[in-house]
Amino acid sequence: MPNTFFITTPIYYVNDVPHIGHAYTSIACDFIARYKRMSGVETIFLTGTDEHGQKIQKAAEKNNISPLDLCNKNSKKFNDLTKILNLSNDDFIRTTEERHKVGAKTLWKKLLASGDVYLGNYEGWYSINDETFYNEKDLIKQSDGSFKTITGGPVEWIKEESYFFRLSKYADRLIEYYKNNPDFILPQSRKNEVISFVKGGLKDLSISRNTFDWGIQVPDDEKHVMYVWLDALSSYPNSLGYITDDKPELKKYWENATHIVGKDILRHHAVYWPAFLMSANLILPKRIFAHGWWTNEGNKISKSLGNVIDPVEIIKDYGLDQIRYFLLREITFGSDGDFSLTALKSRINADLSNDLGNLCQRSLTMISKHCDSIIPDGKNINEKEKELLDRITSESERFSKMVNEQNINNYVKDVWEIIGDANKYFNDNKPWELKDNNVDKFKTILYVTADIIKQIAIMIYPIMPDTSIKILGLFSINEEIITLKLINKNIENIKINEVKPLFPRYE
Ligand code: ME8
């Protein structure tokens, strides 16, 4: 297994403030980054903001401020959100930064040097909302004769001089690449959509605009700015300096890159991006994973419907780890899902308050009360108890495989299965009935339960880092870096700290 790993969120548009969809992708990436680091993999986690193009320019005009002022204002909100979500990102790139502009221009020059760029005229549909060129056959015709995109946004007919990238030339190479690298695009169902899109025929792609100026200037032609997707995609390797500089210490991360995106932007990542990189003779990312979309109480989340969920508000109301848990657990990573307050409260009450919270509270309080707060030793554990305690270690490869396949919700589900088994063990053995007449057994049960709680606390670190640290703190495990090796840390005879309820319940 490679010992380096580079994971990215999409870089988000700054025409508006962040919403729950942005928080979702970022939390999912944080989960993966934290698990990778726990397993000893040198990890770089990148997020950032996409700040050029017509969409941003228009939003700035609407707000009566300059594009850069709008970018500064909203990029800060996305940056603040990384702290609010407790993201462990190592970098935050803005496409208005010099390090990015230099890299984007270098990429342009590499495409040019490959003979893949030519000047022509673009005439066709464009969605400012998606910053995407559309074929008419991919649009939805409305009753008044106008067209809209599948995401529901309007399109306009544009006609302008434009540089083109010879995308059509790469169709066969892309198909070959998908075939030879079966896990390049996941989930498989989305990969099939991409393959049929490419097989349906690729037209050359317009890669510059010349009817506005908020963008990175095309090298040697100041009338054009680079198409915002070419600009934005290059931010990933630009954060490492990889396009401009082939240093091995940077390349080793780029060689193991994973892009996590929403299904809305899979085509840009799985078709345009690899074709640009092939043309520029640069290394391709290892994985593009496209997750699904959240609706809100059954409805599409949209500004016009006024149902956008503000992550900051929902975290204020229900707590960060509660929201992180809900988002990662509730839906299959890769499928669509619904955000409802009923489902959120039910997950908090059942999975967090009851299953995890009560397990800790009931067992550890018994240690405080009846064992002078000292965790008993485990010298008398039987075979079944040993099996329960060895379970996480014996299943470690399975957990690691789930993370490597971005099978996040099943990881969470399986950790909760272990929590369920720990609760069952505690309840079936009824330690409260043994405390006066079978002290040895009573102590063994408390030892086993405490040790499994410690192991669970490590496994939930990628999901709920604060809660994990809080539980480990009860065992005086205050390591700055949480690693999977701590699963085997001996906690016999350790003094336990005061146990307080972990999760309030919601009505
Ligand atoms: O597309 N459910 O930025 P963007 C789940 N700048 N995820 C959602 C979501 C929802 N309802 N809404 C948004 C862009 N997302 C470009 C990316 S990358 C080189 C350039 C998430 O601000 C999801 O990850 O529109 C989606 O792909 C992304 O936000 C779109 O963010």
Side-chain angles (χ1 to χ4, degrees):
M1 286 302 272
N3 211 36
T4 52
F5 183 65
F6 180 53
I7 184 157
T8 67
T9 72
I11 52 164
Y12 305 116
Y13 287 129
V14 288
N15 60 305
D16 212 335
V17 298
H19 60 73
I20 199 77
H22 300 124
Y24 178 55
T25 319
S26 294
I27 290 170
C29 290
D30 188 56
F31 168 93
I32 298 168
R34 284 180 189 269
Y35 185 88
K36 285 290 201 180
R37 291 193 199 100
M38 283 212 310
S39 344
V41 178
E42 283 175 47
T43 299
I44 294 186
F45 168 20
L46 171 75
T47 185
T49 43
D50 188 353
E51 307 191 5
H52 290 130
Q54 210 173 3
K55 175 164 166 144
I56 311 296
Q57 181 159 334
K58 283 215 156 187
E61 279 162 14
K62 215 170 134 199
N63 284 283
N64 269 325
I65 54 175
S66 74
L68 189 60
D69 283 346
L70 180 76
C71 292
N72 288 340
K73 191 172 126 214
N74 284 342
S75 179
K76 183 175 180 314
K77 297 221 165 90
F78 280 94
N79 205 337
D80 290 347
L81 189 68
T82 64
K83 319 272 174 331
I84 296 168
L85 299 178
N86 194 7
L87 302 185
S88 60
N89 59 301
D90 302 277
D91 197 356
F92 185 100
I93 193 156
R94 298 184 55 186
T95 55
T96 45
E97 283 175 67
E98 205 46 41
R99 62 171 171 156
H100 167 71
K101 291 186 197 169
V102 172
K105 286 184 182 178
T106 309
L107 177 60
W108 180 282
K109 286 182 193 155
K110 285 183 192 278
L111 303 183
L112 197 66
S114 292
D116 286 336
V117 177
Y118 63 91
L119 190 61
N121 284 294
Y122 177 80
E123 186 169 359
W125 294 109
Y126 191 74
S127 156
I128 298 179
N129 199 39
D130 305 348
E131 295 283 21
T132 297
F133 301 95
Y134 280 98
N135 294 322
E136 196 161 301
K137 68 176 172 48
D138 297 324
L139 296 169
I140 301 160
K141 194 166 189 174
Q142 305 191 87
S143 51
D144 64 358
S146 69
F147 289 95
K148 65 174 185 181
T149 67
I150 38 163
T151 48
V155 282
E156 56 187 54
W157 188 261
I158 62 169
K159 193 177 170 184
E160 61 193 55
E161 186 186 73
S162 174
Y163 285 96
F164 283 84
F165 170 70
R166 291 188 203 282
L167 182 64
S168 56
K169 182 176 140 186
Y170 288 90
D172 291 345
R173 269 183 75 182
L174 286 169
I175 295 290
E176 191 64 17
Y177 193 83
Y178 304 147
K179 209 173 104 200
N180 295 337
N181 298 276
D183 296 334
F184 176 58
I185 305 166
L186 286 182
Q188 293 293 339
S189 56
R190 300 237 184 270
K191 172 171 119 177
N192 298 336
E193 286 167 21
V194 171
I195 293 177
S196 40
F197 174 76
V198 176
K199 284 193 171 161
L202 291 180
K203 289 208 282 192
D204 288 351
L205 180 72
S206 170
I207 51 163
S208 77
R209 303 287 314 271
N210 78 349
T211 47
F212 61 89
D213 61 4
W214 182 241
I216 299 176
Q217 256 181 20
V218 165
D220 303 320
D221 190 343
E222 59 186 31
K223 291 198 307 299
H224 289 255
V225 291
M226 284 170 62
Y227 172 42
V228 65
W229 270 100
L230 173 58
D231 159 349
L233 287 161
S234 74
S235 68
Y236 300 138
N238 287 340
S239 73
L240 299 170
Y242 167 68
I243 297 181
T244 50
D245 208 338
D246 210 1
K247 286 192 192 143
E249 70 267 28
L250 306 170
K251 200 165 150 189
K252 69 178 184 180
Y253 290 100
W254 180 249
E255 279 171 347
N256 294 302
T258 288
H259 299 313
I260 306 289
V261 300
K263 64 178 183 181
D264 51 321
I265 55 175
L266 178 59
R267 184 180 304 174
H268 309 80
H269 283 80
V271 180
Y272 305 159
W273 186 220
F276 293 151
L277 290 167
M278 284 173 179
S279 166
N281 289 315
L282 295 169
I283 295 166
L284 270 61
K286 280 270 176 313
R287 167 79 39 86
I288 318 282
F289 188 99
H291 66 66
W293 269 49
W294 284 91
T295 49
N296 181 4
E297 310 280 350
N299 298 311
K300 183 175 177 278
I301 299 179
S302 98
K303 234 184 152 184
S304 53
L305 291 174
N307 66 350
V308 176
I309 303 165
D310 177 350
V312 182
E313 286 303 315
I314 199 96
I315 286 167
K316 259 191 215 148
D317 290 345
Y318 294 95
L320 171 63
D321 277 1
Q322 286 87 334
I323 298 296
R324 286 181 62 118
Y325 175 78
F326 178 75
L327 292 175
L328 298 179
R329 172 70 173 87
E330 184 68 5
I331 60 171
T332 302
F333 199 57
S335 305
D336 295 338
D338 188 43
F339 195 104
S340 86
L341 286 185
T342 316
L344 171 65
K345 286 183 212 171
S346 136
R347 286 262 174 231
I348 294 177
N349 291 343
D351 303 1
L352 300 184
S353 244
N354 285 359
D355 294 350
L356 178 59
N358 281 350
L359 174 68
C360 296
Q361 185 80 20
R362 291 165 73 202
S363 58
L364 303 183
T365 309
M366 270 188 196
I367 297 179
S368 306
K369 264 197 182 157
H370 304 291
C371 310
D372 289 333
S373 295
I374 303 293
I375 299 173
D377 64 50
K379 64 177 189 286
N380 293 325
I381 59 168
N382 61 31
E383 266 312 302
K384 272 199 128 166
E385 287 163 335
K386 189 167 169 356
E387 224 172 80
L388 181 63
L389 290 179
D390 287 347
R391 184 159 160 198
I392 289 179
T393 303
S394 63
E395 292 184 13
S396 65
E397 268 181 35
R398 208 168 58 80
F399 278 106
S400 156
K401 187 165 180 283
M402 285 192 271
V403 178
N404 290 334
E405 291 170 356
Q406 290 79 44
N407 193 351
I408 301 179
N409 64 299
N410 275 326
Y411 173 107
V412 182
K413 196 166 128 264
D414 286 5
V415 172
W416 253 257
E417 232 171 61
I418 295 171
I419 295 176
D421 287 353
N423 268 313
K424 185 168 177 342
Y425 166 80
F426 190 77
N427 289 335
D428 288 356
N429 282 291
K430 300 188 172 66
W432 53 92
E433 288 180 2
L434 303 174
K435 69 178 188 307
D436 301 318
N437 51 36
N438 190 344
V439 178
D440 279 352
K441 185 68 198 161
F442 173 72
K443 288 194 165 174
T444 299
I445 297 164
L446 292 183
Y447 162 76
V448 171
T449 313
D451 197 83
I452 192 80
I453 289 174
K454 171 213 69 189
Q455 298 188 38
I456 289 164
I458 294 156
M459 295 303 280
I460 65 169
Y461 177 70
I463 312 165
M464 305 191 290
D466 283 343
T467 304
S468 162
I469 289 169
K470 211 188 263 178
I471 300 175
L472 292 174
L474 296 174
F475 302 106
S476 299
I477 299 177
N478 299 314
E479 264 79 348
E480 230 162 72
I481 297 168
I482 310 289
T483 71
L484 288 175
K485 287 192 186 130
L486 284 172
I487 284 174
N488 298 318
K489 190 176 166 84
N490 186 353
I491 54 166
E492 288 169 312
N493 303 318
I494 280 181
K495 191 172 184 324
I496 217 143
N497 294 311
E498 194 196 343
V499 188
K500 294 193 188 121
L502 288 170
F503 304 101
R505 291 178 62 84
Y506 290 88
E507 290 316 316

